[in-house]
Every structure is written in structure tokens, then in C-alpha cells.
């Protein structure tokens, strides 16, 4: 039979566990940003070195940071074109109210942390023109609100997770100028919201699905140039929104059929 003391110990252990589960707040956001700052090794314009401080100013007044007025949480982070060198720590996933995250045109390197998938409110994800390596985390597809994924001009390798193309809100995906490989047939374009697809300058191979354009009624731009694609060209269908189509420097055969676009 369990003694009363055992019950008492269990009560205090459970109580202690609950006490550790603090609700995220602006202090949580501040800690996440300071962790990011600690992973930056070069800040030529001193944007973060001088401005991001735990004592001098409110986090909502830090360079590149925008807070929402309703919840007073970090809503947007834009560190683009700052010449920063560094890596992205897993703490970035604690910015749980983040809607827009842009670090375009810097020298961030290393791999993309899986904790990015914790940013469930994220709509804009722009890490283009950096030096990231490794595989695109399939867990990004868990961010159901994503509208823009921009990872072009990095050093990413491996296959493109097909699950990304199941995000129903996705409007733009830019993965060009990386080292991505794998068969195009493994990618299923089935998102009516997609307007812009950039997969050029990679190492993708194989053929295209005959009906790959059937579920892309709002497609405006498509580039899959400079890969190793081959086979028959698909039926282009009635893409009335299409204005730019780049399939060059591949090994396709034949001609497009059912070409009916208003702006080409």
C-alpha cells in the first residue's frame, strides 16, 4: 500500500512541474532575440550590437523589430541587408506571435533549425541570399499559415519536401540557385493559391507530370530552368494569369499543347 508520504511527494513534484510551464510573453521574445544576437559573430553596422540590449530600451523599439499593439508581442523581425554573419539558434522558435521573418541578403550560415516550425502564425519566411546549408526541414509544412517561402541563393541540398506544396495558403515559393536534387515527379503542385514558383538553378531531374498545371489556376510565374529535367512537356492548360515561364537549359522534348494564356 502506498504511504501518505508518497502522495505528498507526488503532489509537490506535480506542482513544481506546473510552475515551470510559464506562459510566453514579451520577456520570452526578448530572450529569444538576445539568443539570436549571441549567435551573430559580425555586425558591421552595429544595428544589434548597440541597439539590442536587455536594459536600455524596450524590445519593441529594437532595430528590425515590430510588436503587435494588441498582445504586445514581437510580430515582425526584419534584419535584411545588414551584412550580418551568424547562425540561427533554436530559440527563434519561441517568437510564437511572429508573422513575418526576413533576414534576406546577409551571411547567415549553418542549417535551418527545426524549431522554425513552432512559428505557427508565420506568413512570410524570407531567408534568401545567405549561406545556409543542409536540407529544407519538412517540418516547415506544419506552418499552415505560410504564404511566402523564400530560400533562394543559398547552399541548400537534398530533396525538396513534397509536403511544403500542401500548404493551402502558399502563394510564393522561391528555392532557386541552391543545390537541391531529386525527381520533379515527387513534387505535387496542388495549391490553387500558388502564384510564383522559382526552382531554377538546382540539380532536379526527371520528367514533369502531364497534368502538373491542372491545379494552378492563379500561376503567374514559373521558373525551373537550369536543371536536369527531361521528357515530354506537360499540357499547359488554360493558365490565364501566367506572364513568365522559364524552362530553359533542360532536356525537354516536344512542344506545349493547349497553350491559352492572356498575357504571353
Amino acid at each position: 500500500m502506498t504511504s501518505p508520504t508518497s502522495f505528498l511527494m507526488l503532489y509537490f513534484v506535480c506542482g513544481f512541474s506546473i510552475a515551470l510551464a510559464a506562459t510566453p510573453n514579451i520577456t520570452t521574445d526578448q530572450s529569444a532575440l538576445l539568443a539570436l544576437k549571441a549567435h551573430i559573430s559580425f555586425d558591421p553596422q552595429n544595428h544589434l550590437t548597440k541597439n539590442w540590449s536587455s536594459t536600455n530600451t524596450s524590445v519593441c523599439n529594437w532595430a528590425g523589430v515590430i510588436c503587435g499593439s494588441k498582445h504586445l508581442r514581437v510580430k515582425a523581425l526584419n534584419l535584411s541587408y545588414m551584412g550580418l554573419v551568424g547562425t540561427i539558434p533554436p530559440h527563434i522558435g519561441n517568437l510564437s506571435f511572429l508573422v513575418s521573418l526576413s533576414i534576406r541578403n546577409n551571411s547567415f550560415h549553418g542549417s535551418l533549425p527545426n524549431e522554425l516550425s513552432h512559428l505557427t502564425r508565420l506568413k512570410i519566411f524570407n531567408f534568401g541570399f545567405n549561406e545556409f546549408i543542409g536540407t529544407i526541414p519538412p517540418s516547415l509544412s506544419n506552418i499552415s499559415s505560410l504564404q511566402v517561402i523564400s530560400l533562394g541563393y543559398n547552399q541548400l541540398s537534398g530533396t525538396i519536401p513534397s509536403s511544403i506544396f500542401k500548404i493551402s495558403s502558399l502563394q510564393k515559393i522561391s528555392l532557386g540557385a541552391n543545390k537541391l536534387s531529386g525527381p520533379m515527379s515527387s513534387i505535387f503542385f496542388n495549391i490553387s493559391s500558388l502564384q510564383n514558383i522559382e526552382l531554377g538553378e538546382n540539380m532536379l531531374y526527371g520528367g514533369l507530370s502531364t497534368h502538373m498545371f491542372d491545379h494552378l489556376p492563379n500561376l503567374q510565374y514559373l521558373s525551373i530552368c537550369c536543371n536536369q529535367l527531361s521528357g515530354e512537356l506537360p499540357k499547359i492548360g488554360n493558365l490565364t494569369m501566367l506572364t513568365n515561364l522559364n524552362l530553359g537549359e533542360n532536356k525537354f522534348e516536344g512542344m506545349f499543347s493547349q497553350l491559352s494564356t492572356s498575357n504571353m
Side-chain angles (χ1 to χ4, degrees):
M1 181 175 178
T2 306
S3 67
T5 305
S6 299
F7 283 111
L8 185 62
M9 290 175 65
L10 179 62
Y11 172 82
F12 281 114
V13 169
C14 291
F16 181 66
S17 299
I18 293 172
L20 289 178
T23 303
N25 52 35
I26 192 63
T27 303
T28 309
D29 292 349
Q30 183 186 58
S31 298
L33 293 175
L34 289 175
L36 174 59
K37 177 184 177 182
H39 281 74
I40 292 175
S41 58
F42 185 53
D43 178 10
Q45 302 171 42
N46 292 319
H47 284 299
L48 278 57
T49 304
K50 291 184 177 181
N51 186 258
W52 284 24
S53 170
S54 59
T55 57
N56 292 345
T57 58
S58 165
V59 63
C60 296
N61 294 323
W62 289 4
V65 176
I66 296 177
C67 291
S69 57
K70 182 178 180 181
H71 298 286
L72 197 64
R73 297 287 306 277
V74 176
K75 183 178 181 180
L77 179 62
N78 186 357
L79 305 181
S80 299
Y81 299 93
M82 290 186 178
L84 302 173
V85 178
T87 59
I88 305 298
H91 309 75
I92 198 78
N94 291 332
L95 297 172
S96 55
F97 271 71
L98 208 59
V99 174
S100 178
L101 174 58
S102 181
I103 59 170
R104 178 184 175 91
N105 257 87
N106 285 291
S107 294
F108 282 98
H109 53 276
S111 59
L112 301 172
N114 283 317
E115 286 77 8
L116 286 167
S117 64
H118 297 171
L119 306 177
T120 56
R121 291 177 170 84
L122 199 64
K123 295 181 179 179
I124 310 297
F125 174 55
N126 191 343
F127 279 23
F129 292 88
N130 279 284
E131 300 171 9
F132 289 109
I133 61 172
T135 305
I136 299 172
S139 58
L140 285 181
S141 61
N142 295 332
I143 310 177
S144 59
S145 57
L146 271 176
Q147 297 177 3
V148 175
I149 299 176
S150 182
L151 285 165
Y153 292 88
N154 280 284
Q155 301 292 320
L156 297 169
S157 58
T159 58
I160 300 174
S162 60
S163 56
I164 287 178
F165 290 92
K166 297 179 182 180
I167 303 174
S168 60
S169 58
L170 196 62
Q171 298 175 16
K172 176 181 178 180
I173 180 163
S174 178
L175 305 176
N178 278 287
K179 298 179 180 180
L180 298 167
S181 60
M184 277 290 291
S185 59
S186 66
I187 301 174
F188 301 99
F189 300 97
N190 191 21
I191 308 174
S192 60
S193 60
L194 260 178
Q195 301 172 18
N196 189 304
I197 302 173
E198 171 59 83
L199 302 178
E201 300 182 55
N202 280 291
M203 296 181 288
L204 303 172
Y205 60 85
L208 304 178
S209 168
T210 304
H211 303 285
M212 69 172 288
F213 294 116
D214 288 0
H215 304 289
L216 298 172
N218 294 302
L219 188 64
Q220 300 174 20
Y221 176 94
L222 171 67
S223 176
I224 52 175
C225 74
C226 311
N227 279 285
Q228 301 168 20
L229 302 171
S230 59
E232 294 288 333
L233 290 168
K235 297 179 180 179
I236 199 168
N238 189 29
L239 298 181
T240 58
M241 304 294 290
L242 190 65
T243 59
N244 195 311
L245 178 64
N246 189 351
L247 311 180
E249 298 189 48
N250 283 292
K251 301 177 182 179
F252 290 120
E253 302 172 359
M255 299 177 62
F256 276 121
S257 59
Q258 298 180 9
L259 180 60
S260 175
T261 62
S262 60
N263 298 312
M264 291 183 66

